Amino acid sequence: MGVTAMLMLPLLLLGISGLLFIYQEVSRLWSKSAVQNKVVVITDAISGLGKECARVFHAGGARLVLCGKNWERLEILYDALISVADPSKTFTPKLVLLDLADISCVPDVAKEVLDCYGCVDILINNASMKIKGPAHKISLELDKKIMDANYFGPITLTKALLPDMISRRTGQIVLVNNIQGKLGIPFRTAYAASKHAALGFFDCLRAEVEEYNVVVSTVSPTFIRSYRIDPGQGNWEASLWKFFFRKLTYGVHPVDVAEEVMRTVRRKKQEVFMANPIPKAAVYIRTFFPEFFFAVVACGVKEKLNVPEEG
């Protein structure tokens, strides 16, 4: 009996591996068919995540409209996509110059985007601007710039493209947000405020457009790390604050986020939260045990600023 079990174990593992491979291949093909011939608009396509989204959706046969604020980098991305694509299965991407921080130009750019193919099936709001520092040292002008790039820009573009989706009674809007749309982290006041605002807007919009068969999805990773930089070991001391933020800063790779965006589009998910257990626990604690969460955060700020406790 024991010998038979030992002989069966490798076969069982091989069978499970085969089933997983088949599932992955079917999922990949299903994802491609979900976006084939669809008009997909990607903002900030020249960022790390934007490039990966462009690669994934282009390989899936989507008709891409790639937006970015640097024309030269858009052309480099264009050449990279064309060089590896099968012309018989893919469409030539369209390039549109767009800086979401410049709100005044967004309506005209939205018209240009619609003129590319006459409609938009999927809008991926990916653009984001970050700032870090004490609130009292961040100028109001910079606060406004962050809000323009992370909130007013995306909602202005969304509002400009939404009537087309409503009239056609089809479409999907994806917001790539951040964990800071769910909880605030010290020294990132403007960024967290913009992410809270964006998440609130798209949560409300989701209910408003459901009757028109327009899907609104949000994908919130912790942080999106660069291609080559991995979190360093650092000199972390044994404190709850530092343990929490060390885990929190373990960002998600752009490739993983792009593939999750594709799955979100295919399955029409409403909300996705990409994080390891520590940030997920932090969101839970912030919701149900706010006083404890605030105490931990305040303790961390005191450690960072080296402020001695009174008494």
Side-chain angles (χ1 to χ4, degrees), residues 66-95:
L66 304 176
C67 304
K69 57 184 178 182
N70 185 301
W71 187 258
E72 184 176 331
R73 291 175 65 187
L74 279 173
E75 289 183 325
I76 292 173
L77 174 59
Y78 174 91
D79 292 338
L81 292 173
I82 294 300
S83 64
V84 297
D86 182 350
S88 65
K89 297 180 180 179
T90 59
F91 294 90
T92 303
K94 306 281 187 180
L95 305 181

Short mmCIF file of all heavy atoms in Angstrom, two decimals, residues 66-95:
data_model
loop_
_atom_site.label_atom_id
_atom_site.label_comp_id
_atom_site.label_asym_id
_atom_site.label_seq_id
_atom_site.Cartn_x
_atom_site.Cartn_y
_atom_site.Cartn_z
N LEU A 66 -2.84 55.05 -27.17
CA LEU A 66 -1.86 55.24 -26.10
C LEU A 66 -1.66 56.73 -25.84
O LEU A 66 -1.28 57.48 -26.75
CB LEU A 66 -0.53 54.59 -26.49
CG LEU A 66 -0.62 53.09 -26.84
CD1 LEU A 66 0.74 52.58 -27.29
CD2 LEU A 66 -1.15 52.29 -25.66
N CYS A 67 -1.88 57.13 -24.60
CA CYS A 67 -1.78 58.54 -24.22
C CYS A 67 -0.58 58.75 -23.31
O CYS A 67 -0.32 57.95 -22.41
CB CYS A 67 -3.05 59.00 -23.51
SG CYS A 67 -4.57 58.75 -24.45
N GLY A 68 0.12 59.84 -23.50
CA GLY A 68 1.26 60.18 -22.65
C GLY A 68 1.67 61.62 -22.91
O GLY A 68 1.29 62.22 -23.92
N LYS A 69 2.46 62.18 -22.00
CA LYS A 69 2.84 63.59 -22.12
C LYS A 69 4.20 63.81 -22.77
O LYS A 69 4.65 64.95 -22.84
CB LYS A 69 2.80 64.25 -20.74
CG LYS A 69 3.68 63.62 -19.69
CD LYS A 69 3.49 64.31 -18.35
CE LYS A 69 4.33 63.67 -17.26
NZ LYS A 69 4.10 64.33 -15.94
N ASN A 70 4.83 62.73 -23.23
CA ASN A 70 6.12 62.84 -23.91
C ASN A 70 6.03 62.10 -25.24
O ASN A 70 5.95 60.87 -25.26
CB ASN A 70 7.23 62.27 -23.03
CG ASN A 70 8.61 62.47 -23.61
OD1 ASN A 70 8.91 62.02 -24.72
ND2 ASN A 70 9.47 63.16 -22.87
N TRP A 71 6.05 62.85 -26.33
CA TRP A 71 5.85 62.25 -27.65
C TRP A 71 6.98 61.29 -28.03
O TRP A 71 6.75 60.24 -28.62
CB TRP A 71 5.71 63.33 -28.71
CG TRP A 71 5.34 62.78 -30.05
CD1 TRP A 71 6.16 62.58 -31.13
CD2 TRP A 71 4.05 62.30 -30.46
NE1 TRP A 71 5.46 62.02 -32.17
CE2 TRP A 71 4.17 61.85 -31.79
CE3 TRP A 71 2.81 62.23 -29.81
CZ2 TRP A 71 3.09 61.32 -32.49
CZ3 TRP A 71 1.73 61.71 -30.53
CH2 TRP A 71 1.88 61.26 -31.85
N GLU A 72 8.20 61.66 -27.69
CA GLU A 72 9.34 60.82 -28.03
C GLU A 72 9.24 59.46 -27.36
O GLU A 72 9.50 58.41 -27.98
CB GLU A 72 10.64 61.52 -27.60
CG GLU A 72 11.90 60.77 -28.01
CD GLU A 72 13.16 61.53 -27.65
OE1 GLU A 72 13.13 62.78 -27.62
OE2 GLU A 72 14.19 60.86 -27.40
N ARG A 73 8.84 59.43 -26.08
CA ARG A 73 8.71 58.16 -25.37
C ARG A 73 7.51 57.36 -25.88
O ARG A 73 7.53 56.13 -25.87
CB ARG A 73 8.59 58.42 -23.87
CG ARG A 73 9.88 58.97 -23.25
CD ARG A 73 9.70 59.33 -21.79
NE ARG A 73 9.40 58.16 -20.98
CZ ARG A 73 9.08 58.22 -19.70
NH1 ARG A 73 8.99 59.41 -19.08
NH2 ARG A 73 8.83 57.12 -19.01
N LEU A 74 6.46 58.04 -26.33
CA LEU A 74 5.34 57.35 -26.95
C LEU A 74 5.79 56.63 -28.23
O LEU A 74 5.38 55.49 -28.49
CB LEU A 74 4.21 58.33 -27.27
CG LEU A 74 3.27 58.72 -26.14
CD1 LEU A 74 2.33 59.83 -26.59
CD2 LEU A 74 2.46 57.53 -25.63
N GLU A 75 6.62 57.29 -29.00
CA GLU A 75 7.11 56.68 -30.24
C GLU A 75 8.01 55.48 -29.96
O GLU A 75 7.98 54.49 -30.70
CB GLU A 75 7.86 57.73 -31.07
CG GLU A 75 6.96 58.79 -31.69
CD GLU A 75 7.72 59.77 -32.56
OE1 GLU A 75 8.88 60.08 -32.22
OE2 GLU A 75 7.15 60.20 -33.59
N ILE A 76 8.81 55.57 -28.89
CA ILE A 76 9.65 54.44 -28.50
C ILE A 76 8.77 53.24 -28.12
O ILE A 76 9.05 52.09 -28.51
CB ILE A 76 10.58 54.83 -27.33
CG1 ILE A 76 11.62 55.86 -27.79
CG2 ILE A 76 11.26 53.60 -26.75
CD1 ILE A 76 12.46 56.42 -26.66
N LEU A 77 7.71 53.51 -27.37
CA LEU A 77 6.77 52.44 -27.00
C LEU A 77 6.10 51.86 -28.25
O LEU A 77 5.95 50.64 -28.37
CB LEU A 77 5.71 52.99 -26.04
CG LEU A 77 4.57 52.04 -25.65
CD1 LEU A 77 5.11 50.77 -24.99
CD2 LEU A 77 3.58 52.74 -24.73
N TYR A 78 5.71 52.73 -29.16
CA TYR A 78 5.09 52.31 -30.42
C TYR A 78 6.01 51.35 -31.18
O TYR A 78 5.59 50.27 -31.62
CB TYR A 78 4.79 53.55 -31.26
CG TYR A 78 4.27 53.27 -32.64
CD1 TYR A 78 2.91 53.17 -32.90
CD2 TYR A 78 5.15 53.12 -33.72
CE1 TYR A 78 2.43 52.93 -34.18
CE2 TYR A 78 4.69 52.87 -35.00
CZ TYR A 78 3.34 52.78 -35.23
OH TYR A 78 2.87 52.53 -36.50
N ASP A 79 7.28 51.73 -31.31
CA ASP A 79 8.25 50.90 -32.03
C ASP A 79 8.43 49.55 -31.34
O ASP A 79 8.56 48.51 -31.99
CB ASP A 79 9.59 51.61 -32.14
CG ASP A 79 9.53 52.84 -33.04
OD1 ASP A 79 8.62 52.90 -33.89
OD2 ASP A 79 10.38 53.74 -32.89
N ALA A 80 8.46 49.57 -29.98
CA ALA A 80 8.64 48.33 -29.23
C ALA A 80 7.48 47.38 -29.44
O ALA A 80 7.67 46.16 -29.57
CB ALA A 80 8.81 48.64 -27.75
N LEU A 81 6.26 47.91 -29.49
CA LEU A 81 5.08 47.07 -29.68
C LEU A 81 5.04 46.51 -31.10
O LEU A 81 4.74 45.32 -31.30
CB LEU A 81 3.81 47.88 -29.40
CG LEU A 81 3.57 48.31 -27.95
CD1 LEU A 81 2.36 49.23 -27.87
CD2 LEU A 81 3.37 47.10 -27.05
N ILE A 82 5.34 47.35 -32.08
CA ILE A 82 5.28 46.92 -33.47
C ILE A 82 6.33 45.86 -33.78
O ILE A 82 6.10 44.92 -34.55
CB ILE A 82 5.44 48.14 -34.41
CG1 ILE A 82 4.26 49.09 -34.27
CG2 ILE A 82 5.60 47.69 -35.86
CD1 ILE A 82 2.92 48.47 -34.61
N SER A 83 7.50 45.99 -33.14
CA SER A 83 8.63 45.11 -33.46
C SER A 83 8.37 43.65 -33.07
O SER A 83 8.97 42.74 -33.65
CB SER A 83 9.90 45.60 -32.78
OG SER A 83 9.78 45.53 -31.36
N VAL A 84 7.50 43.43 -32.07
CA VAL A 84 7.25 42.06 -31.61
C VAL A 84 5.85 41.57 -31.96
O VAL A 84 5.48 40.45 -31.59
CB VAL A 84 7.46 41.96 -30.08
CG1 VAL A 84 8.90 42.28 -29.71
CG2 VAL A 84 6.50 42.89 -29.33
N ALA A 85 5.09 42.37 -32.66
CA ALA A 85 3.68 42.03 -32.92
C ALA A 85 3.54 41.26 -34.23
O ALA A 85 4.36 41.38 -35.15
CB ALA A 85 2.84 43.30 -32.98
N ASP A 86 2.49 40.47 -34.29
CA ASP A 86 2.10 39.79 -35.52
C ASP A 86 1.09 40.69 -36.23
O ASP A 86 -0.04 40.85 -35.75
CB ASP A 86 1.48 38.43 -35.19
CG ASP A 86 1.09 37.65 -36.44
OD1 ASP A 86 1.14 38.23 -37.54
OD2 ASP A 86 0.74 36.46 -36.31
N PRO A 87 1.47 41.30 -37.35
CA PRO A 87 0.57 42.25 -38.03
C PRO A 87 -0.79 41.66 -38.40
O PRO A 87 -1.77 42.40 -38.52
CB PRO A 87 1.36 42.64 -39.29
CG PRO A 87 2.79 42.32 -38.97
CD PRO A 87 2.74 41.13 -38.07
N SER A 88 -0.85 40.35 -38.57
CA SER A 88 -2.12 39.73 -38.95
C SER A 88 -3.08 39.59 -37.77
O SER A 88 -4.27 39.34 -37.96
CB SER A 88 -1.87 38.35 -39.57
OG SER A 88 -1.30 37.47 -38.61
N LYS A 89 -2.54 39.74 -36.54
CA LYS A 89 -3.37 39.53 -35.35
C LYS A 89 -3.50 40.78 -34.48
O LYS A 89 -4.22 40.75 -33.48
CB LYS A 89 -2.80 38.38 -34.51
CG LYS A 89 -2.80 37.04 -35.22
CD LYS A 89 -2.22 35.95 -34.34
CE LYS A 89 -2.21 34.59 -35.04
NZ LYS A 89 -1.62 33.53 -34.19
N THR A 90 -2.77 41.83 -34.81
CA THR A 90 -2.79 43.04 -33.98
C THR A 90 -3.08 44.28 -34.83
O THR A 90 -2.96 44.25 -36.06
CB THR A 90 -1.44 43.23 -33.26
OG1 THR A 90 -0.39 43.32 -34.23
CG2 THR A 90 -1.16 42.06 -32.32
N PHE A 91 -3.44 45.34 -34.14
CA PHE A 91 -3.71 46.63 -34.79
C PHE A 91 -2.58 47.60 -34.47
O PHE A 91 -1.97 47.54 -33.40
CB PHE A 91 -5.04 47.22 -34.30
CG PHE A 91 -6.25 46.41 -34.69
CD1 PHE A 91 -6.72 45.40 -33.86
CD2 PHE A 91 -6.92 46.66 -35.88
CE1 PHE A 91 -7.83 44.66 -34.21
CE2 PHE A 91 -8.03 45.92 -36.24
CZ PHE A 91 -8.50 44.91 -35.40
N THR A 92 -2.32 48.50 -35.40
CA THR A 92 -1.31 49.53 -35.18
C THR A 92 -1.81 50.51 -34.13
O THR A 92 -2.89 51.09 -34.29
CB THR A 92 -1.01 50.29 -36.49
OG1 THR A 92 -0.58 49.35 -37.48
CG2 THR A 92 0.08 51.33 -36.25
N PRO A 93 -1.07 50.72 -33.04
CA PRO A 93 -1.54 51.65 -31.99
C PRO A 93 -1.62 53.10 -32.47
O PRO A 93 -0.84 53.52 -33.33
CB PRO A 93 -0.48 51.50 -30.89
CG PRO A 93 0.23 50.23 -31.19
CD PRO A 93 0.20 50.08 -32.67
N LYS A 94 -2.56 53.82 -31.93
CA LYS A 94 -2.67 55.26 -32.15
C LYS A 94 -2.01 55.98 -30.98
O LYS A 94 -2.13 55.54 -29.83
CB LYS A 94 -4.14 55.68 -32.24
CG LYS A 94 -4.96 54.92 -33.26
CD LYS A 94 -4.73 55.40 -34.66
CE LYS A 94 -5.69 54.75 -35.65
NZ LYS A 94 -5.49 55.20 -37.04
N LEU A 95 -1.35 57.08 -31.25
CA LEU A 95 -0.66 57.84 -30.22
C LEU A 95 -1.32 59.20 -30.03
O LEU A 95 -1.64 59.89 -31.01
CB LEU A 95 0.82 58.04 -30.58
CG LEU A 95 1.63 56.77 -30.88
CD1 LEU A 95 3.07 57.14 -31.20
CD2 LEU A 95 1.56 55.78 -29.74
#
